[in-house]
Structures are given as C-alpha cells and as structure tokens.
Amino acid sequence: EAQVTQNPRYLITVTGKKLTVTCSQNMNHEYMSWYRQDPGLGLRQIYYSMNVEVTDKGDVPEGYKVSRKEKRNFPLILESPSPNQTSLYFCASSLSLGGKTEAFFGQGTRLTVV
Amino acid sequence: GNSVTQMEGPVTLSEEAFLTINCTYTATGYPSLFWYVQYPGEGLQLLLKATKADDKGSNKGFEATYRKETTSFHLEKGSVQVSDSAVYFCALRNNFNKFYFGSGTKLNVKP
C-alpha cells in the first residue's frame, strides 16, 4: 500500500531535549516536505527536499533541521525544542512532475514541549 | 508571489444543504490546484484536483472548476452529509513544485 509513515504519532518532551520525528515513504517520490499545523494558521512549510541531499528552507525553518540521505526517508530534527514548537506536524511526499501531481500526507505527529 | 485565500469557518449546514467553500489564489505561471480534506485526528487526503484552466475536478459528489479569469477554485457539493464534517484545505502547486495551502475551512454538518 502506498503510504507516508510518520513516527511517533504522539510525543511529549521537555524543553531542550533533542528529538527526531521520522518520515518514510514507499512511493519513490523525489519531493518531500514537513509542515506544521496550528489553529488559525493552516499549514506552514518548515523544510522541503527536491531529492537526495537537496534540502531547502520553507516558511518557518527556525529551530528545525532536516536531512535527506536516502530517497525514502526525511527526518525532522529538533535540536533544542521549545514550547512554541508545540504543534501538529505533517510529512508529505510527491512526484516532481512540473507541479502537476498531488502530495501524499502522513498521519501526523502531535508534539507537546513542556 | 504565490498564495491561497479561502473563506473562514466554521461553516455550519444542515444535512442535504448545498455547500460552497470559496478559494482564490495568486500565482505566477500556471499552477495546479487542489482541495484536501482532513477528518478529525487524521492527515490530509486529496479530495480533487485540476491542473489547467477550465478543468473541473470531482470526487465523492464534490466539484471545483479552475477559473483562471477569476483566479478561483471554489468547492461545491449539492447535498452534504454528516460524514462530510471535516476541515477543507485549498492548495496550489507552482511550476517549481512548491505547495501553498490556505488556512482551512471547518465544515460542520448537522443531522
């Protein structure tokens, strides 16, 4: 089954404790991205990747890191989480066909930083 | 620049009512347009899409037409059901593959 898998689904952590949210897709998609969803603000892009070893900042990259060492995986790293990073996070992937194809989303990771 | 504006919610309707959720966009080039739906506790799922002007996307009774002249992609359904209660996102994807999402519109359908 074609899917984007995020782990964990729920995470509560303390300020400053490094964490990684994993994202994996099985559709051989070139394009992958991370979003955060906050009430009233919709989806905001954190980072995106056009292909292996190619990443770039989205609209709200501060406090986050990513890597793309393999095509299927795109982990999101919070080196020193802070309470303002409490949010619902989504990973998405898609083919890169001149912008004609849709994105497939993971189930989301609800992160709480206390 | 690129952006998507959609009507603020929540939108509350009775079952079998007609639904319209407005979406307008600003884009350079020739974007593709999408509607996604998010059910409670779940990720976003593609509802429908249109990749060029005058295309009509449709799925599960929902429709939207890509109107270049009015830069709009309004979502419509003739008769909503309680099971359509969800948050709906309008989005565009530009020729550089980047996505832009609206802020979402919550739909509540009452029996």
Side-chain angles (χ1 to χ4, degrees):
Chain A
E1 180 189 354
Q3 60 185 5
V4 178
T5 303
Q6 293 179 229
N7 280 297
R9 291 289 308 276
Y10 302 92
L11 180 60
I12 301 174
T13 191
V14 296
T15 299
K17 184 177 181 183
K18 181 179 178 180
L19 67 91
T20 299
V21 183
T22 63
C23 174
S24 180
Q25 50 93 4
N26 63 0
M27 295 168 280
N28 203 35
H29 286 168
E30 301 92 356
Y31 187 96
M32 297 185 74
S33 56
W34 277 102
Y35 298 87
R36 59 179 290 174
Q37 183 180 14
D38 301 290
L41 297 177
L43 287 168
R44 294 181 292 168
Q45 191 179 57
I46 302 170
Y47 268 94
Y48 65 96
S49 169
M50 292 287 196
N51 214 323
V52 176
E53 302 291 2
V54 181
T55 62
D56 208 347
K57 296 177 181 179
D59 302 313
V60 288
E62 295 78 18
Y64 304 94
K65 284 177 54 177
V66 293
S67 68
R68 187 93 182 272
K69 294 184 169 53
E70 305 165 282
K71 199 170 188 179
R72 64 184 292 124
N73 296 323
F74 190 46
L76 179 69
I77 303 157
L78 284 72
E79 295 268 5
S80 183
S82 62
N84 65 9
Q85 292 178 298
T86 293
S87 187
L88 180 57
Y89 291 86
F90 288 101
C91 179
S93 74
S94 62
L95 290 170
S96 295
L97 292 176
K100 299 298 184 188
T101 56
E102 65 270 23
F104 291 78
F105 283 81
Q107 290 291 88
T109 296
R110 185 166 291 282
L111 172 66
T112 302
V113 183
V114 298
Chain B
N2 298 279
S3 66
V4 175
T5 303
Q6 58 182 108
M7 60 190 292
E8 287 193 27
V11 173
T12 301
L13 296 172
S14 298
E15 206 165 22
E16 300 184 4
F18 185 86
L19 169 71
T20 299
I21 301 178
N22 290 335
C23 171
T24 57
Y25 67 91
T26 303
T28 52
Y30 303 94
S32 295
L33 301 175
F34 306 86
W35 276 101
Y36 283 86
V37 59
Q38 184 181 31
Y39 298 104
E42 297 185 12
L44 280 73
Q45 304 172 25
L46 178 70
L47 182 58
L48 52 86
K49 71 176 185 182
T51 59
K52 61 182 188 297
D54 300 325
D55 269 3
K56 178 187 282 187
S58 61
N59 185 27
K60 298 181 181 178
F62 291 90
E63 292 183 341
T65 301
Y66 189 162
R67 302 281 188 206
K68 192 168 173 62
E69 63 276 14
T70 54
T71 62
S72 64
F73 193 55
H74 305 321
L75 183 68
E76 297 183 336
K77 187 176 185 182
S79 176
V80 294
Q81 306 300 311
V82 172
S83 57
D84 293 327
S85 297
V87 180
Y88 293 81
F89 290 91
C90 184
L92 72 82
R93 191 177 192 189
N94 66 14
N95 300 122
F96 299 100
N97 288 310
K98 186 170 181 181
F99 283 91
Y100 297 83
F101 287 86
S103 56
T105 302
K106 186 172 184 178
L107 171 66
N108 295 317
V109 181
K110 296 183 174 181

